Amino acid sequence: MTGDGFHRTFAVRAAPALVALLALAALGGIPLPSTYARETSTWAAQGTGQDWVNLLVVVPWMALSGHRAARGSRRALLLLGGGLVYLVYGFLAYAFAVHFNVLFLLYCAVLGLSFFSLASLGGVLQGNTVPSWFVAERVPVRLAGVTQVAFGALFALIWLSEIVPALLRGAPPPSVVEAGLLTNPVHVLDLSLLLPGLLLSGISLLRRRPLGLLLSPLMLWFAALMVSAIGGMVLAMALRRIAVQWAVAVLFAVVAAMTFAVLAKLLRAVHSAADQ
């Protein structure tokens, strides 16, 4: 079905190029020692771990969602949007928190193309009255809304438990010291943008506002991808014999599984005719 017209939007048309650039960035980060040569061992392991997740998970999913969205799938379009949120988030960190290296222009290309694709997609979603895509009685309002609020609150508490003691003692948080950075870009992006976005999306959905149905699929898919990337970082650190907190890793794995399940249930509420 292509009656919505979104198959012609810039985000869908740009998806193949974005997938190719993302694959090149990941393939450049994994085998080339020079890519993270100037990073600390912790930050280099996290970068490599995220590269593996980008290559094995994000690239194929972006390719599939872009292809399906081009054929008129509303579900795929929503997944494409969530993937774009993840890429803007992730490549802001690559571009600003990794020392200048041979992949710098690739980082900028992925970031720029992801941002403008997401901007174009936002206009399309707003113009297509996304809430009408859902079968109202099948939307897991409470489950999806509470999941997003809980996710946002959980990560805010985790980051604040590191930041607040650091502020009180007048010293940088341990993660900043380990990464050798001025600040932790994850703290900045999460506390400024993404966690408030999850809370806004979840609360809007609980209040049955149209904004909640528009944002929830994107934010849940972003959250699932981001936690998966964190899992890749933890595994890469463990393989390099860097100390990791396995209890936190298990918690993240549980959160990722729950988020995938909630997202799947939410997407099943999209009119099936839109994906035939």
Side-chain angles (χ1 to χ4, degrees):
M1 175 179 177
T2 58
D4 296 303
F6 57 70
H7 61 292
R8 295 187 296 271
T9 191
F10 176 76
V12 174
R13 290 183 172 181
L18 183 57
V19 167
L21 290 172
L22 177 59
L24 286 174
L27 288 170
I30 293 168
L32 297 179
S34 60
T35 301
Y36 301 117
R38 299 171 64 190
E39 314 304 330
T40 64
S41 57
T42 297
W43 200 238
Q46 291 183 15
T48 303
Q50 185 159 2
D51 286 335
W52 275 111
V53 172
N54 287 346
L55 182 63
L56 299 179
V57 178
V58 183
V59 164
W61 268 104
M62 288 293 290
L64 179 61
S65 59
H67 173 70
R68 292 288 298 156
R71 299 183 63 182
S73 169
R74 291 170 172 175
R75 292 170 184 156
L77 190 73
L78 296 172
L79 290 174
L80 180 64
L84 291 171
V85 174
Y86 166 83
L87 290 178
V88 170
Y89 174 100
F91 277 83
L92 278 170
Y94 277 110
F96 286 104
V98 174
H99 284 82
F100 184 84
N101 62 51
V102 69
L103 300 179
F104 177 74
L105 291 179
L106 265 179
Y107 297 158
C108 293
V110 175
L111 175 59
L113 192 54
S114 299
F115 175 82
F116 287 108
S117 294
L118 184 61
S120 75
L121 188 61
V124 171
L125 291 177
Q126 185 177 16
N128 271 278
T129 59
V130 171
S132 68
W133 294 1
F134 291 83
V135 180
E137 60 272 17
R138 295 178 59 187
V139 175
V141 171
R142 186 175 300 276
L143 179 62
V146 169
T147 296
Q148 292 175 88
V149 171
F151 189 106
L154 172 64
F155 275 82
L157 289 173
I158 290 174
W159 300 155
L160 290 175
S161 71
E162 181 184 13
I163 294 169
V164 173
L167 291 174
L168 293 176
R169 65 174 179 267
S175 64
V176 175
V177 176
E178 291 171 3
L181 301 172
L182 298 177
T183 59
N184 188 330
V186 175
H187 291 165
V188 176
L189 292 170
D190 281 4
L191 294 175
S192 302
L193 302 173
L194 274 304
L195 299 184
L198 277 164
L199 294 172
L200 172 64
S201 177
I203 292 171
S204 296
L205 186 62
L206 289 170
R207 293 181 176 178
R208 300 180 183 273
R209 302 284 174 79
L211 181 65
L213 280 175
L214 191 156
L215 290 179
S216 289
L218 277 67
M219 297 308 296
L220 284 168
W221 185 227
F222 156 77
L225 289 175
M226 195 63 248
V227 178
S228 298
I230 293 173
M233 296 175 195
V234 171
L235 182 58
M237 290 170 63
L239 290 173
R240 298 186 182 190
R241 301 186 183 280
I242 299 171
V244 298
Q245 297 180 329
W246 287 109
V248 176
V250 171
L251 174 62
F252 285 174
V254 172
V255 170
M258 292 176 58
T259 306
F260 277 116
V262 173
L263 174 63
K265 189 174 181 62
L266 178 62
L267 290 177
R268 283 198 292 269
V270 174
H271 287 289
S272 59
D275 288 270
Q276 292 178 351

